[in-house]
Amino acid sequence: MIKKPIAWIVDSTAYISEELRQHPDFFSVPLNIHFGEKQFVDGVDLNPQQLYEKIKTAKEFPKSSQPSAGEFAERYKVIAEQYEQAIAVHVSGKMSGTLASSIAGSEISGFPVTFIDSLSLSYGVTGLIERGMEMQDEGATVPEIEAQLKKMAGTMHNYILMGQLEQLYKGGRMSAAQFFIGSLLKVKPIVHITPEGELQPVDKVRSEKKALQYLVDKVVAGHNAGRRKIYLMQGNVLVQAEHLKKLITEQVPDLEVEIGDISSVLAVHAGEGTLAVLWFD
């Protein structure tokens, strides 16, 4: 059997558009979500809507974990039956051990995989995969694709309005004092992913209206610098996302805005109500 040249692999922190979902050479390896002793496979056993409902009723706060090296190895052995090699783009190694597990899985399976640390998550992973596929269609070699994707990694502009202070607090990403003060003042924290792949607070605003305007202002500035398309990711607040899109397009009518869902595993940490704007240079 003649093998296909390249399989494209991401983990389930990526935003998976319908176009990617239908791509014959695209594969997503899911992370795991834990409620106490119960484990769910992201996007298989638990979708974002189900996760939000479970969080509201669960006694224990959920946690996430990367697939083991063995799980990656088994997946790579199956993919190796049809493909010569793969290019894998993963969530930032500073935020998750997924990349390390994937590398170890490749070594166990003996399947050649070129690894890209996206230094990001969500559309930050997706944008790299899409560009790599474009380059493959244009006839680029794997080393050329690798060099370009590593150059792109870390260049994504992103501003994330966190959805639930309580979820951040229960997840251990906010102190009790920060949670108390934030709740009292109704603070809306805004974070971003640095070029080094780390999550960092950048601002906090005192109302939802001001928070949305903050995101609009950042998008308008990006548009003025030449950007023509952005991604607007949302955590179970589609109506609010549509409203934000309307606010953006009222100021920049020629800007293309695509709305997508954050994955279940990201919802564990970001919380219901999260909104994010993202784009590459």
Side-chain angles (χ1 to χ4, degrees):
M1 183 185 77
I2 299 176
K3 293 186 177 182
K4 301 170 78 173
I6 302 173
W8 296 90
I9 297 164
V10 300
D11 55 73
S12 63
T13 66
Y15 165 56
I16 302 177
S17 65
E18 190 57 35
E19 183 178 359
L20 272 182
R21 202 182 305 277
Q22 299 299 326
H23 196 289
D25 303 323
F26 174 79
F27 301 87
S28 176
V29 182
L31 275 72
N32 303 305
I33 298 170
H34 307 264
F35 280 89
E37 297 298 317
K38 293 185 178 181
Q39 176 176 303
F40 301 87
V41 180
D42 183 18
V44 178
D45 302 326
L46 199 66
N47 62 36
Q49 185 60 47
Q50 293 168 329
L51 173 70
Y52 297 127
E53 291 303 316
K54 285 187 70 67
I55 287 175
K56 292 173 184 176
T57 58
K59 294 181 180 179
E60 295 184 73
F61 189 80
K63 297 180 180 180
S64 63
S65 66
Q66 70 267 16
S68 67
E71 289 175 295
F72 271 112
E74 290 304 311
R75 178 62 68 95
Y76 287 145
K77 287 175 184 177
V78 173
I79 294 173
E81 295 174 1
Q82 298 183 56
Y83 292 87
E84 295 175 358
Q85 61 183 309
I87 295 177
V89 183
H90 287 300
V91 58
S92 171
K94 296 280 183 70
M95 299 186 205
S96 169
T98 302
L99 176 61
S101 284
S102 187
I103 292 172
S106 171
E107 292 171 351
I108 293 169
S109 68
F111 181 55
V113 182
T114 297
F115 292 97
I116 308 293
D117 185 341
S118 71
L119 302 175
S120 188
L121 43 71
S122 190
Y123 178 68
V125 177
T126 311
L128 298 183
I129 279 283
E130 290 176 340
R131 178 61 186 134
M133 289 176 169
E134 288 175 1
M135 292 183 69
Q136 181 188 14
D137 292 341
E138 294 163 0
T141 65
V142 169
E144 289 171 339
I145 294 171
E146 178 185 12
Q148 177 62 23
L149 298 193
K150 287 184 174 179
K151 184 178 178 181
M152 281 181 66
T155 67
M156 186 184 72
H157 297 269
N158 63 95
Y159 298 92
I160 307 163
L161 173 62
M162 304 300 283
Q164 294 287 339
L165 288 182
E166 184 177 6
Q167 205 159 315
L168 286 172
Y169 170 56
K170 287 183 177 179
R173 295 171 184 269
M174 173 180 278
S175 70
Q178 288 173 321
F179 173 62
F180 175 75
I181 294 170
S183 299
L184 188 66
L185 300 177
K186 299 189 183 302
V187 165
K188 304 286 185 180
I190 295 172
V191 303
H192 82 145
I193 303 162
T194 69
E196 296 73 37
E198 297 178 296
L199 205 61
Q200 183 180 82
V202 289
D203 216 330
K204 49 188 179 231
V205 291
R206 289 281 296 275
S207 72
E208 182 176 305
K209 183 178 180 180
K210 289 181 179 179
L212 295 182
Q213 189 57 51
Y214 183 99
L215 298 181
V216 171
D217 292 343
K218 293 298 183 182
V219 170
V220 170
H223 175 267
N224 291 340
R227 185 69 273 168
R228 291 293 174 264
K229 181 175 182 178
I230 70 154
Y231 284 78
L232 199 171
M233 310 306 297
Q234 59 92 22
N236 202 35
V237 281
L238 182 58
V239 171
Q240 193 175 17
E242 293 283 4
H243 175 60
L244 177 56
K245 178 178 178 178
K246 181 174 180 289
L247 294 176
I248 291 170
T249 53
E250 283 176 350
Q251 293 202 39
V252 280
D254 61 330
L255 182 67
E256 184 180 352
V257 181
E258 181 172 329
I259 296 176
D261 299 330
I262 60 173
S263 69
S264 301
V265 74
L266 293 185
V268 165
H269 303 287
E272 187 172 15
T274 294
L275 288 168
V277 290
L278 313 96
W279 67 93
F280 279 99
D281 281 331

